[in-house]
Short mmCIF file of all heavy atoms in Angstrom, two decimals:
data_model
loop_
_atom_site.label_atom_id
_atom_site.label_comp_id
_atom_site.label_asym_id
_atom_site.label_seq_id
_atom_site.Cartn_x
_atom_site.Cartn_y
_atom_site.Cartn_z
N LEU A 871 -20.85 15.05 25.12
CA LEU A 871 -20.16 14.89 26.39
C LEU A 871 -20.99 15.59 27.44
O LEU A 871 -20.97 16.83 27.51
CB LEU A 871 -18.74 15.46 26.25
CG LEU A 871 -17.79 15.27 27.42
CD1 LEU A 871 -17.54 13.75 27.68
CD2 LEU A 871 -16.43 15.95 27.10
N ASP A 873 -20.84 16.05 30.66
CA ASP A 873 -20.22 16.87 31.74
C ASP A 873 -19.07 17.75 31.22
O ASP A 873 -18.08 17.94 31.91
CB ASP A 873 -19.81 16.00 32.93
CG ASP A 873 -18.89 14.88 32.47
OD1 ASP A 873 -18.71 14.67 31.24
OD2 ASP A 873 -18.38 14.15 33.37
N ALA A 874 -19.21 18.26 30.04
CA ALA A 874 -18.17 19.08 29.43
C ALA A 874 -17.90 20.36 30.22
O ALA A 874 -18.83 20.97 30.73
CB ALA A 874 -18.52 19.43 27.99
N THR A 875 -16.68 20.74 30.30
CA THR A 875 -16.26 22.01 30.91
C THR A 875 -16.45 23.14 29.95
O THR A 875 -16.90 24.23 30.31
CB THR A 875 -14.77 21.96 31.33
OG1 THR A 875 -14.53 20.75 32.03
CG2 THR A 875 -14.43 23.13 32.21
N PHE A 876 -16.15 22.91 28.68
CA PHE A 876 -16.26 23.89 27.62
C PHE A 876 -16.99 23.31 26.41
O PHE A 876 -16.76 22.15 26.07
CB PHE A 876 -14.89 24.35 27.13
CG PHE A 876 -14.09 25.12 28.15
CD1 PHE A 876 -13.15 24.46 28.93
CD2 PHE A 876 -14.28 26.47 28.29
CE1 PHE A 876 -12.40 25.18 29.86
CE2 PHE A 876 -13.54 27.21 29.20
CZ PHE A 876 -12.59 26.55 29.99
N GLN A 892 -16.61 19.85 22.38
CA GLN A 892 -16.75 19.84 23.82
C GLN A 892 -15.50 19.27 24.43
O GLN A 892 -14.98 18.24 23.93
CB GLN A 892 -17.94 18.94 24.25
CG GLN A 892 -19.26 19.49 23.77
CD GLN A 892 -20.38 18.61 24.28
OE1 GLN A 892 -20.55 17.48 23.86
NE2 GLN A 892 -21.12 19.14 25.24
N LEU A 893 -15.00 19.89 25.48
CA LEU A 893 -13.85 19.43 26.20
C LEU A 893 -14.15 19.37 27.68
O LEU A 893 -14.82 20.26 28.20
CB LEU A 893 -12.60 20.30 25.96
CG LEU A 893 -12.09 20.41 24.56
CD1 LEU A 893 -10.91 21.37 24.48
CD2 LEU A 893 -11.70 19.06 24.00
N LYS A 894 -13.59 18.40 28.34
CA LYS A 894 -13.62 18.31 29.80
C LYS A 894 -12.22 18.52 30.28
O LYS A 894 -11.31 17.76 29.88
CB LYS A 894 -14.16 16.94 30.26
CG LYS A 894 -14.33 16.87 31.77
CD LYS A 894 -14.92 15.53 32.14
CE LYS A 894 -15.12 15.42 33.63
NZ LYS A 894 -15.70 14.16 34.02
N ILE A 895 -12.03 19.57 31.10
CA ILE A 895 -10.67 19.94 31.58
C ILE A 895 -10.72 19.93 33.07
O ILE A 895 -11.58 20.53 33.71
CB ILE A 895 -10.29 21.32 31.02
CG1 ILE A 895 -10.31 21.29 29.48
CG2 ILE A 895 -8.90 21.74 31.56
CD1 ILE A 895 -10.09 22.62 28.82
N ASP A 896 -9.76 19.20 33.69
CA ASP A 896 -9.71 19.10 35.12
C ASP A 896 -9.06 20.33 35.77
O ASP A 896 -8.61 21.28 35.07
CB ASP A 896 -9.10 17.81 35.62
CG ASP A 896 -7.59 17.72 35.38
OD1 ASP A 896 -6.91 18.76 35.10
OD2 ASP A 896 -7.02 16.61 35.56
N GLU A 897 -9.03 20.37 37.11
CA GLU A 897 -8.48 21.52 37.83
C GLU A 897 -6.99 21.78 37.56
O GLU A 897 -6.48 22.87 37.82
CB GLU A 897 -8.72 21.36 39.39
CG GLU A 897 -8.04 20.21 40.01
CD GLU A 897 -8.77 18.86 39.82
OE1 GLU A 897 -9.93 18.85 39.29
OE2 GLU A 897 -8.18 17.86 40.22
N ASN A 898 -6.28 20.77 37.01
CA ASN A 898 -4.88 20.90 36.71
C ASN A 898 -4.65 21.38 35.29
O ASN A 898 -3.53 21.43 34.82
CB ASN A 898 -4.10 19.63 36.98
CG ASN A 898 -4.19 19.22 38.43
OD1 ASN A 898 -4.00 20.05 39.32
ND2 ASN A 898 -4.47 17.95 38.70
N GLY A 899 -5.74 21.59 34.53
CA GLY A 899 -5.61 22.03 33.16
C GLY A 899 -5.40 20.91 32.15
O GLY A 899 -5.06 21.13 31.02
N ILE A 900 -5.66 19.66 32.59
CA ILE A 900 -5.50 18.51 31.71
C ILE A 900 -6.85 18.23 31.02
O ILE A 900 -7.89 18.19 31.65
CB ILE A 900 -5.07 17.23 32.51
CG1 ILE A 900 -3.76 17.50 33.27
CG2 ILE A 900 -4.93 16.03 31.57
CD1 ILE A 900 -2.55 17.73 32.45
N ILE A 901 -6.74 18.01 29.73
CA ILE A 901 -7.93 17.69 28.96
C ILE A 901 -8.20 16.22 29.15
O ILE A 901 -7.45 15.33 28.68
CB ILE A 901 -7.76 18.00 27.46
CG1 ILE A 901 -7.44 19.49 27.25
CG2 ILE A 901 -8.98 17.58 26.63
CD1 ILE A 901 -6.90 19.86 25.92
N THR A 902 -9.25 15.87 29.90
CA THR A 902 -9.50 14.54 30.31
C THR A 902 -10.46 13.79 29.36
O THR A 902 -10.51 12.57 29.32
CB THR A 902 -10.06 14.40 31.73
OG1 THR A 902 -11.23 15.17 31.82
CG2 THR A 902 -9.02 14.94 32.73
N ASP A 903 -11.24 14.59 28.56
CA ASP A 903 -12.13 13.96 27.62
C ASP A 903 -12.57 15.03 26.61
O ASP A 903 -12.41 16.21 26.83
CB ASP A 903 -13.38 13.40 28.34
CG ASP A 903 -14.06 12.28 27.56
OD1 ASP A 903 -13.61 11.95 26.44
OD2 ASP A 903 -15.06 11.71 28.05
N GLY A 904 -13.12 14.59 25.52
CA GLY A 904 -13.58 15.48 24.48
C GLY A 904 -14.48 14.78 23.50
O GLY A 904 -14.44 13.54 23.34
N ILE A 925 -5.15 15.43 21.63
CA ILE A 925 -5.14 16.31 22.80
C ILE A 925 -5.69 15.76 24.08
O ILE A 925 -5.37 16.31 25.14
CB ILE A 925 -5.85 17.66 22.46
CG1 ILE A 925 -7.34 17.52 22.27
CG2 ILE A 925 -5.16 18.34 21.26
CD1 ILE A 925 -8.11 18.80 22.22
N ILE A 926 -6.48 14.72 24.02
CA ILE A 926 -6.98 14.12 25.28
C ILE A 926 -5.83 13.56 26.02
O ILE A 926 -5.00 12.80 25.48
CB ILE A 926 -8.09 13.09 24.99
CG1 ILE A 926 -9.33 13.79 24.44
CG2 ILE A 926 -8.44 12.31 26.28
CD1 ILE A 926 -10.47 12.85 23.94
N GLY A 927 -5.71 13.95 27.28
CA GLY A 927 -4.59 13.54 28.14
C GLY A 927 -3.50 14.59 28.21
O GLY A 927 -2.58 14.49 29.01
N GLN A 928 -3.59 15.64 27.38
CA GLN A 928 -2.60 16.69 27.38
C GLN A 928 -3.09 17.90 28.18
O GLN A 928 -4.27 18.07 28.38
CB GLN A 928 -2.32 17.18 25.91
CG GLN A 928 -1.93 16.13 24.96
CD GLN A 928 -0.59 15.52 25.28
OE1 GLN A 928 0.26 16.15 25.89
NE2 GLN A 928 -0.36 14.28 24.85
N ASN A 929 -2.13 18.73 28.60
CA ASN A 929 -2.56 20.00 29.23
C ASN A 929 -2.89 21.00 28.14
O ASN A 929 -2.64 20.77 26.95
CB ASN A 929 -1.49 20.50 30.21
CG ASN A 929 -0.19 20.86 29.56
OD1 ASN A 929 -0.13 21.37 28.46
ND2 ASN A 929 0.90 20.62 30.26
N LYS A 930 -3.48 22.08 28.54
CA LYS A 930 -3.96 23.09 27.57
C LYS A 930 -2.80 23.62 26.73
O LYS A 930 -2.93 23.83 25.53
CB LYS A 930 -4.69 24.25 28.27
CG LYS A 930 -5.94 23.79 28.90
CD LYS A 930 -6.87 24.88 29.49
CE LYS A 930 -6.23 26.07 30.10
NZ LYS A 930 -7.19 26.98 30.74
N GLU A 931 -1.62 23.90 27.37
CA GLU A 931 -0.50 24.46 26.62
C GLU A 931 0.02 23.51 25.57
O GLU A 931 0.31 23.91 24.43
CB GLU A 931 0.63 24.81 27.60
CG GLU A 931 0.34 25.95 28.55
CD GLU A 931 -0.60 25.54 29.70
OE1 GLU A 931 -0.74 24.34 30.05
OE2 GLU A 931 -1.25 26.46 30.28
N LEU A 987 -9.52 27.35 24.14
CA LEU A 987 -8.49 27.25 25.16
C LEU A 987 -7.71 28.60 25.35
O LEU A 987 -7.30 28.90 26.47
CB LEU A 987 -7.47 26.17 24.84
CG LEU A 987 -8.03 24.73 24.84
CD1 LEU A 987 -6.92 23.75 24.53
CD2 LEU A 987 -8.71 24.41 26.14
#
Side-chain angles (χ1 to χ4, degrees):
L871 186 61
D873 54 352
T875 312
F876 292 96
Q892 296 184 289
L893 296 178
K894 184 176 181 181
I895 302 173
D896 72 13
E897 63 279 352
N898 298 315
I900 304 294
I901 300 164
T902 59
D903 204 358
I925 68 168
I926 292 173
Q928 304 294 335
N929 63 35
K930 294 188 324 186
E931 293 75 22
L987 296 182

